[in-house]
Amino acid sequence: MSDTVIQIKHSELFDVFVNESIEESFIASDNIKNILSSENIGEEEILNFPFRTNESIIIICVEGYLKAKLDTKSFMLEKNELLVIVPKQIFELKEISPDLSTIVYIMKTSFLDNNTSFFEAIQLQQHFFRENGIQIPESMMNEAITIYRLIKQKLEEKGMFSRQIIQQYINVQFYNVYALLQQQNTQKPAVRTHTKEYIFEQFIRLVERYFREQHKIGFYANRLHLTSKYLSAVIRSASGLTAGQWIREYLIIEARALLKMGKMSIQQISNELNFYDQSHFGVFFKKYAGCSPRAYQKT
């Protein structure tokens, strides 16, 4: 895996996909390689490079498969499966089948209108059930392909109400998947609140929310009304990693992304991630990333 986290710059994307986008807020494409490639990373070099975006991305696998990593989770996306990447997540392609065919949508928050329930359901699916891909029935898949073709027509026309029409097409896709997701989740066995799986999922949710400010296990144990010793034992049993390792994993992922984005100084990143000072941050980063923050920025 490359240590570099590439920030997807949508100003560049909209320049490249001018015929496949609208008002610099929405892109529809059938080539995931083109979406992820940039001036620095060619189409044939995108494997094993982490990408990060501030927008929402939907990937629908039409044929073939891809193997990838989303934040800390590795998975395979196969035919008739859909993946949603929410803002701030880090996505890394590991393998692409020769026959891979996809539908890819990239949407700014301003384009999404009132679809917060859909993305809340997606995050529930990812965090609580540890599933990234959503399996789509054949009939819904055929409809998704039809919707994509209709969207492409409107993008080519660029008529007066193209944006509004495309938004409604996307809403149809959202509500189809949302209904499917709700149905699938109600069919899953209830997770009792005292099981280790439930505790692990609640712990991960807390880490994703607070890891920038809170690095100590005790904080998470208190929020879950458990002792630090018991929480540590449960997390190791449920995941194979200690609670401290999970917190460090999220800190390192965030630190790498911030360092490569180049918008903040090392001191500012140290403050952002709530380290005592820049020196402590440097020692932490070198121990777990293998080089100093400054050396990492220059790679």
Side-chain angles (χ1 to χ4, degrees):
M1 169 182 170
S2 167
D3 288 332
T4 305
V5 177
I6 302 298
Q7 179 79 12
I8 297 180
K9 297 180 180 179
H10 286 81
S11 58
E12 296 176 1
L13 274 178
F14 286 108
D15 289 340
V16 174
F17 291 91
V18 64
N19 295 323
E20 299 177 85
S21 64
I22 191 165
E23 298 179 7
E24 295 195 357
S25 60
F26 176 85
I27 292 175
S29 176
D30 58 5
N31 193 328
I32 191 172
K33 287 187 175 182
N34 285 345
I35 290 286
L36 297 182
S37 59
S38 67
E39 292 180 1
N40 299 320
I41 305 299
E43 187 173 320
E44 301 304 321
E45 301 173 302
I46 62 170
L47 296 184
N48 301 312
F49 268 90
F51 294 84
R52 187 181 191 184
T53 176
N54 291 324
E55 278 68 47
S56 299
I57 301 178
I58 295 178
I59 303 172
I60 302 173
C61 186
V62 181
E63 292 288 346
Y65 69 87
L66 64 83
K67 293 181 181 179
K69 188 174 183 180
L70 191 61
D71 288 338
T72 61
K73 303 171 188 175
S74 297
F75 65 96
M76 177 185 289
L77 192 72
E78 299 181 275
K79 180 180 178 179
N80 291 8
E81 289 186 342
L82 175 146
L83 171 72
V84 176
I85 305 172
V86 299
K88 307 296 185 183
Q89 287 186 310
I90 296 176
F91 176 71
E92 181 181 355
L93 271 175
K94 308 297 289 185
E95 182 181 333
I96 294 176
S97 68
D99 60 338
L100 178 68
S101 175
T102 58
I103 293 170
V104 184
Y105 298 121
I106 296 183
M107 293 160 283
K108 287 188 175 180
T109 304
S110 59
F111 186 84
L112 294 175
D113 202 13
N114 296 315
N115 282 300
T116 55
S117 295
F118 174 77
F119 287 96
E120 287 172 359
I122 291 296
Q123 289 181 303
L124 174 68
Q125 185 82 2
Q126 292 177 350
H127 298 167
F128 196 75
F129 297 114
R130 294 190 231 176
E131 296 174 2
N132 288 315
I134 302 168
Q135 190 167 13
I136 303 175
E138 190 69 33
S139 59
M140 191 179 293
M141 190 67 189
N142 292 334
E143 186 174 1
I145 294 171
T146 300
I147 289 172
Y148 173 73
R149 290 171 178 164
L150 291 169
I151 287 174
K152 294 291 286 186
Q153 287 178 4
K154 291 301 173 184
L155 287 174
E156 292 173 4
E157 293 172 6
K158 295 192 183 298
M160 182 180 298
F161 298 106
S162 291
R163 177 191 175 97
Q164 290 80 1
I165 294 171
I166 290 172
Q167 282 177 320
Q168 294 309 310
Y169 286 147
I170 289 295
N171 280 337
V172 172
Q173 185 72 76
F174 279 168
Y175 286 116
N176 277 344
V177 177
Y178 186 36
L180 177 65
L181 203 57
Q182 293 291 83
Q183 180 183 5
Q184 290 177 349
N185 288 344
T186 56
Q187 293 172 351
K188 294 178 183 290
V191 180
R192 295 189 298 275
T193 57
H194 64 276
T195 63
K196 65 181 181 181
E197 290 81 9
Y198 178 84
I199 293 172
F200 172 69
E201 299 297 346
Q202 294 303 305
F203 169 74
I204 289 297
R205 285 189 177 190
L206 288 172
V207 171
E208 290 180 340
R209 182 175 180 182
Y210 293 110
F211 75 89
R212 295 171 186 84
E213 299 86 19
Q214 302 293 340
H215 306 170
K216 301 292 185 181
I217 298 173
F219 168 82
Y220 301 96
N222 288 337
R223 293 297 296 260
L224 294 171
H225 307 291
L226 302 170
T227 66
S228 296
K229 183 177 180 180
Y230 180 72
L231 176 61
S232 296
V234 168
I235 299 306
R236 182 187 286 274
S237 176
S239 69
L241 298 177
T242 67
Q245 285 175 315
W246 279 108
I247 297 167
R248 289 195 296 271
E249 180 79 10
Y250 277 91
L251 280 169
I252 286 295
I253 288 173
E254 185 71 7
R256 284 173 170 167
L258 292 174
L259 286 166
K260 281 300 178 181
M261 287 169 65
K263 295 181 179 180
M264 301 170 68
S265 68
I266 294 174
Q267 179 64 63
Q268 288 173 321
I269 294 171
S270 173
N271 294 338
E272 174 74 12
L273 298 180
N274 201 29
F275 282 86
Y276 180 74
D277 56 26
Q278 183 175 330
S279 176
H280 281 77
F281 171 65
V283 170
F284 169 85
F285 190 87
K286 186 171 184 178
K287 181 177 181 179
Y288 296 107
C291 64
S292 70
R294 195 168 303 281
Y296 179 78
Q297 276 186 322
K298 294 178 180 179
T299 57

